[in-house]
């Protein structure tokens, strides 16, 4: 089932009754309701939004991510469940005990697919992807030759401009990409926790200050989907240099766009759960491969 994403940019009160989220608009005085079990994400942008503790707890019990934005209207923090899987303790132990060789193999598969998806993005925009496809074939265990960075440099040079640099705090359209990646990161963390995995324990990223290292790892092959949404928006709206409500809506709709998982098509939100579940199986030795998304 595809879960709903709710975005609140106006002052509202969020309370609960009979497992229903009650949404009271402070300005219009209107009230609507949504079944909590249908919600996957709530994004709160307005600082005047009130949300009750029972609502947060019920959303958390249903593995719904509550994302809070900062004063710049960018996703900044999120609320996620600490215990939502019946064998969570066992999977935590599997994560901790997993060998370096298994983690390196996982990272190899992740980076291979990321570069393949980047090549597909180039192809969509009528740019020759041959070199990126070659890089994908050259990825070694643990990506020891850093094909990810080499491919990324060429990818952005071809897609945007050789003088443009992809950074967290860089020039436009970095702001659009950062917003999209923040939403994707939240969705990835939600999927990982739903599969019983601890998002802090990465297979590649290992920053002691990063509580979502595994989410940063597993969102990599999904990043090209964000890139595509951003490129599509900025090309159609060249006059918009700042993030707009229309762009935010487009990024949230990205969670339901189709991606290929093997021979089947799945909404991106569902694909993330399949990727997370396959990672749990690979770390536990039940599988030798990952269910990773193909760009379409």
């Amino acid at each position: 089932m595809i879960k709903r994403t709710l975005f609140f940019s106006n002052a509202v009160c969020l309370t609960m009754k009979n497992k229903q989220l009650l949404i009271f608009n402070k300005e219009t005085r209107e009230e609507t309701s949504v079944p909590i079990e249908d919600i996957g994400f709530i994004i709160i942008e307005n600082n005047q939004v009130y949300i009750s503790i029972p609502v947060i707890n019920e959303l958390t019990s249903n593995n719904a991510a509550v994302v809070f934005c900062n004063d710049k209207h960018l996703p900044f923090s999120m609320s996620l469940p600490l215990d939502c899987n019946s064998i969570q303790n066992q999977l935590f132990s599997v994560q901790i005990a997993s060998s370096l060789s298994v983690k390196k193999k996982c990272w190899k598969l992740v980076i291979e697919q990321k570069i393949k998806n980047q090549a597909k993005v180039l192809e969509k925009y009528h740019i020759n992807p041959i070199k990126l496809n070659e890089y994908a074939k050259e990825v070694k265990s643990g990506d020891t030759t850093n094909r990810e960075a080499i491919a990324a440099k060429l990818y952005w040079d071809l897609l945007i401009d050789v003088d443009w640099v992809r950074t967290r705090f860089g020039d436009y359209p970095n702001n659009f990409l950062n917003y999209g990646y923040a939403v994707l990161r939240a969705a990835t963390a939600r999927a990982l926790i739903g599969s019983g995995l601890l998002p802090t324990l990465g297979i590649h990223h290992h920053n002691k200050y990063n509580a979502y290292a595994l989410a940063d790892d597993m969102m990599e092959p999904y990043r090209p989907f964000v890139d595509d949404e951003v490129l599509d928006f900025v090309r159609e709206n060249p006059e918009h240099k700042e993030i707009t409500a229309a762009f935010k809506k487009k990024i949230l709709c990205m969670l339901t766009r189709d991606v290929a998982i093997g021979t089947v098509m799945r909404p991106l939100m569902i694909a993330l759960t399949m990727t997370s579940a396959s990672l749990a199986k690979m770390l536990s030795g039940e599988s030798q491969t990952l269910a990773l998304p193909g760009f379409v």
Side-chain angles (χ1 to χ4, degrees):
M1 174 182 176
I2 300 176
K3 299 287 187 175
R4 294 182 62 177
T5 299
L6 304 181
F7 181 86
F8 297 105
S9 59
N10 298 321
V12 297
C13 289
L14 305 177
T15 55
M16 183 181 70
K17 183 178 181 180
N18 298 327
K19 306 295 184 180
Q20 299 279 316
L21 176 68
L22 302 181
I23 306 166
F24 177 74
N25 190 308
K26 297 179 184 179
E27 297 176 1
T28 65
R29 316 302 292 178
E30 295 178 348
E31 185 175 85
T32 56
S33 65
V34 179
I36 286 183
E37 65 180 2
D38 292 347
I39 300 172
F41 300 89
I42 285 183
I43 299 181
I44 298 176
E45 183 182 72
N46 193 310
N47 289 333
Q48 299 302 312
V49 170
Y50 166 81
I51 182 169
S52 71
I53 296 299
V55 168
I56 294 176
N57 287 337
E58 190 64 26
L59 287 166
T60 300
S61 296
N62 283 271
N63 193 30
V66 183
V67 180
F68 301 94
C69 296
N70 59 17
D71 56 0
K72 296 181 180 178
H73 306 291
L74 295 174
F76 183 72
S77 62
M78 57 184 160
S79 171
L80 287 168
L82 293 174
D83 183 12
C84 66
N85 188 286
S86 59
I87 57 170
Q88 191 172 57
N89 184 60
Q90 177 185 333
L91 288 171
F92 283 1
S93 298
V94 165
Q95 273 187 272
I96 294 169
S98 60
S99 67
L100 182 60
S101 62
V102 170
K103 292 178 182 178
K104 285 185 174 181
K105 183 177 180 180
C106 287
W107 187 241
K108 176 182 184 293
L109 295 173
V110 164
I111 297 307
E112 278 180 345
Q113 193 59 45
K114 177 185 179 180
I115 298 175
K116 288 178 182 178
N117 287 343
Q118 288 175 326
K120 288 291 186 180
V121 172
L122 293 183
E123 189 175 332
K124 175 181 176 178
Y125 291 95
H126 310 292
I127 302 170
N128 193 326
I130 292 178
K131 194 62 181 177
L132 254 65
N133 285 322
E134 291 176 0
Y135 287 149
K137 295 175 182 178
E138 296 170 357
V139 179
K140 299 183 182 300
S141 178
D143 190 25
T144 53
T145 57
N146 205 16
R147 282 298 178 267
E148 179 192 15
I150 295 171
K153 176 65 170 64
L154 178 61
Y155 174 68
W156 292 119
D157 285 352
L158 294 172
L159 202 57
I160 298 183
D161 191 279
V162 293
D163 295 324
W164 181 83
V165 179
R166 163 67 199 138
T167 63
R168 186 178 177 185
F169 303 105
D171 297 332
Y172 161 90
N174 274 299
N175 53 336
F176 288 85
L177 290 166
N178 293 337
Y179 189 95
Y181 292 153
V183 171
L184 176 61
R185 190 180 193 231
T188 306
R190 173 185 175 273
L192 290 167
I193 289 177
S195 295
L197 296 169
L198 187 63
T200 304
L201 301 178
I203 58 174
H204 178 75
H205 290 91
H206 294 94
N207 188 319
K208 67 179 180 180
Y209 301 109
N210 185 359
Y212 297 100
L214 188 59
D216 290 337
D217 289 332
M218 301 312 296
M219 68 183 274
E220 292 294 346
Y222 287 89
R223 283 181 184 264
F225 294 94
V226 174
D227 304 341
D228 178 44
E229 297 290 346
V230 169
L231 259 292
D232 183 61
F233 183 85
V234 299
R235 291 190 178 198
E236 290 186 0
N237 304 273
E239 72 281 7
H240 294 306
K241 304 297 182 182
E242 300 298 329
I243 294 172
T244 64
F247 173 74
K248 293 173 184 176
K249 181 179 180 181
K250 185 176 181 64
I251 287 298
L252 295 181
C253 289
M254 173 196 68
L255 297 174
T256 58
R257 71 174 281 176
D258 283 340
V259 307
I261 295 284
T263 58
V264 299
M265 302 297 292
R266 291 289 184 268
L268 188 144
M269 189 186 302
I270 303 300
L272 277 169
T273 66
M274 297 172 71
T275 297
S276 299
S278 70
L279 175 63
K281 289 183 179 181
M282 192 164 178
L283 292 176
S284 63
E286 298 178 38
S287 174
Q288 296 298 312
T289 190
L290 295 173
L292 296 172
F295 184 90
V296 290

